[in-house]
Amino acid sequence: MNNLLVLQSDFGLVDGAVSAMIGVALQEAPNLGIHHLTHDITPYHIFEASYRLFQTVEYWSEGTTFVSVVDPGVGSKRKSVVAKTSQNHYIVTPDNGTLSYIKQHIGIVAVREISEVSHRRKNTEYSYTFHGRDVYAYTGAKLASGHISFEDVGPALNVDDIVEIPTVETVVTDQSVKGSIDVLDVRFGSLWTSITREEFHTLSPKFGDKFEVTIYNNDMLVYQNQIIYGKSFADVRIGQPLIYINSVYRVGVAINQGSFAKAYNVSVGAQWRIELKKI
């Protein structure tokens, strides 16, 4: 533990929810360094929470504790857990699929169920809808500060039993790769796909090559056009689309100084499929 606590949620900042979590953490350990991954996860969007953790966790030093609260099942029988990653980070979260991308692409070496008898704030036993404050921020602060060890969190669980969100497998052929649109580069409207750089490079692309890009929403054709593969956005004129490799080594599709998602009404999820075909 390194006294660092990083918070993520779908709470937004329009009310006191995030501030309450910070207050709880600082009551437990006033010297904690508290930072924010994001609180603008799309409400109830567990996959997006999972992806943002994957996008961020490895850039923090070993021992950092993350609290991720996107919890549409709050108050139900879903478990509350702490996961230890292969890079020695700790993630405090509901076991509802939030750990999917970390498990698949970084690795989880151990998981413990939070014992709420020991690791729940006093006098909150009749509050059923704010575990982010009463359980996760509280436990995260105790863990990050070293007031408890990982072993003190609660009983060990089998890593293989973690709840995982189904993902779309990339299909690679001699002429094309097919995957899904996982998330958006939200502020700029670029599409971040499930297709890895390695999978795309089975097509032997060179900067400046054109590929036929086809996007479906379920079985409905949404977009089809030829797009240049570039190193960066400046490789095409303003307003033109391009294919590029994003910061987490996945294929992205963007418009230079524009929003591809808004221009073509493209969204995210397993039903949004994309194919890149050699021309």
Side-chain angles (χ1 to χ4, degrees):
M1 319 320 173
N2 61 8
N3 220 45
L4 293 175
L5 187 67
V6 181
L7 305 179
Q8 169 175 275
S9 74
D10 58 354
F11 297 160
L13 296 174
V14 296
D15 64 14
V18 172
S19 183
M21 291 173 64
I22 296 169
V24 164
L26 291 177
Q27 282 184 342
E28 175 64 30
N31 295 322
L32 272 181
I34 299 179
H35 304 271
H36 302 279
L37 196 161
T38 180
H39 295 290
D40 286 327
I41 298 294
T42 303
Y44 319 117
H45 204 304
I46 295 167
F47 182 88
E48 187 178 330
S50 180
Y51 197 101
R52 297 308 180 199
L53 285 170
F54 157 70
Q55 183 184 348
T56 307
V57 164
E58 65 177 314
Y59 301 105
W60 286 80
S61 57
E62 288 190 24
T64 300
T65 300
F66 293 79
V67 171
S68 180
V69 190
V70 177
D71 193 12
V74 62
S76 69
K77 293 182 179 180
R78 59 95 185 93
K79 292 183 174 68
S80 298
V81 299
V82 179
K84 181 180 180 181
T85 77
S86 61
Q87 298 176 345
N88 292 320
H89 301 102
Y90 298 90
I91 302 173
V92 184
T93 190
D95 181 26
N96 59 5
T98 296
L99 293 170
S100 297
Y101 246 71
I102 294 293
K103 180 182 176 183
Q104 293 168 18
H105 300 290
I106 293 178
I108 292 174
V109 297
V111 180
R112 290 185 174 270
E113 183 174 4
I114 297 172
S115 175
E116 293 191 17
V117 173
S118 303
H119 307 307
R120 183 187 180 110
R121 291 182 67 243
K122 291 181 180 179
N123 301 318
T124 64
E125 62 270 18
Y126 299 115
S127 171
Y128 304 107
T129 59
F130 200 177
H131 285 183
R133 177 195 65 193
D134 300 333
V135 178
Y136 301 133
Y138 182 61
T139 303
K142 293 172 77 172
L143 188 63
S145 63
H147 292 176
I148 61 170
S149 68
F150 177 61
E151 290 71 25
D152 292 332
V153 165
L157 301 175
N158 191 326
V159 174
D160 290 338
D161 292 335
I162 293 171
V163 174
E164 294 185 66
I165 300 169
T167 56
V168 175
E169 295 291 330
T170 302
V171 177
V172 179
T173 70
D174 291 341
Q175 298 296 320
S176 70
V177 289
K178 299 178 182 179
S180 62
I181 301 169
D182 282 346
V183 296
L184 300 181
D185 186 358
V186 179
R187 187 168 177 82
F188 302 105
S190 305
L191 315 181
W192 283 19
T193 78
S194 62
I195 301 167
T196 66
R197 179 183 181 276
E198 292 75 17
E199 290 164 343
F200 180 54
H201 272 249
T202 61
L203 302 181
S204 301
K206 297 180 176 62
F207 295 129
D209 286 352
K210 286 187 176 181
F211 290 80
E212 183 180 84
V213 176
T214 306
I215 297 173
Y216 294 93
N217 181 8
N218 290 314
D219 295 327
M220 183 176 69
L221 177 65
V222 174
Y223 177 88
Q224 188 171 59
N225 207 346
Q226 295 182 8
I227 302 182
I228 288 174
Y229 171 48
K231 182 184 295 185
S232 68
F233 310 110
D235 286 350
V236 298
R237 293 193 298 272
I238 292 174
Q240 283 194 322
L242 82 155
I243 301 164
Y244 69 106
I245 302 299
N246 68 18
S247 59
V248 291
Y249 285 4
R250 301 296 191 274
V251 170
V253 182
I255 291 176
N256 184 15
Q257 298 187 36
S259 170
F260 196 102
K262 287 183 179 178
Y264 299 105
N265 294 313
V266 177
S267 191
V268 301
Q271 76 275 20
W272 285 89
R273 306 299 178 98
I274 185 168
E275 178 182 14
L276 288 79
K277 184 181 296 184
K278 292 179 71 171
I279 296 175

